[in-house]
Amino acid sequence: MARPTAGDLVGGLRTAGLRITDARRRVCGVLAGAADAEHLTAADVAERAGRIDLSTVYRTLDALEGEGLVTHVHLGHGAGAYHVAPSEDHHHLVCTVCGATVDVPIGEMGDAVAALTEPHGFVADTAHFAIVGRCAGCAA
């Protein structure tokens, strides 16, 4: 499936039953225009969209997530971040010094997660958290 356009995201809002306002169109434009690996907080989206109430951004993001067009992830102790779906399943490594985020293919961590969780009969949803630490540059 191709990466959704701003029009696709607006269509998702219609499907979710939301009224299509200029603010919501701008949120969709920001999300569609973000780089493939970019993870934006609601505040980032509001800032890029210009003069939009943060509650409108959150409602829009929630609706898009409900339609499967946006993915929500926690990247450490800060605010949740969002990126446009679909994306390959991946985990996140987040530098606590510079804030760099590295997407790691899910297969690279699958065995390690399974080794920790399977003995306990636990099924982890690892897409919603990050491993935090220091990137190579900040650790040097």
Side-chain angles (χ1 to χ4, degrees):
M1 180 177 179
R3 189 169 195 265
T5 65
D8 295 331
L9 297 174
V10 168
L13 296 178
R14 280 194 183 96
T15 301
L18 292 180
R19 195 168 54 101
I20 306 304
T21 64
D22 179 59
R24 289 190 174 127
R25 284 184 191 281
R26 287 187 283 155
V27 167
C28 291
V30 167
L31 292 170
D36 283 342
E38 193 170 16
H39 299 80
L40 302 174
T41 65
D44 293 334
V45 173
E47 181 180 321
R48 291 182 187 187
R51 294 192 177 222
I52 294 179
D53 187 71
L54 202 51
S55 64
T56 298
V57 174
Y58 275 112
R59 280 192 301 276
T60 303
L61 290 169
D62 286 344
L64 291 170
E65 184 178 15
E67 295 299 316
L69 295 168
V70 169
T71 302
H72 177 227
V73 65
H74 296 278
L75 300 176
H77 298 293
Y82 299 82
H83 57 84
V84 175
S87 64
E88 295 295 321
D89 285 338
H90 60 275
H91 296 286
H92 302 90
L93 306 177
V94 179
C95 180
T96 57
V97 177
C98 69
T101 301
V102 177
D103 291 348
V104 178
I106 206 156
E108 291 183 23
M109 289 182 51
D111 291 340
V113 170
L116 290 170
T117 59
E118 285 177 3
H120 303 283
F122 191 81
V123 178
D125 179 6
T126 58
H128 287 279
F129 80 93
I131 295 176
V132 296
R134 291 180 289 164
C135 68
C138 293

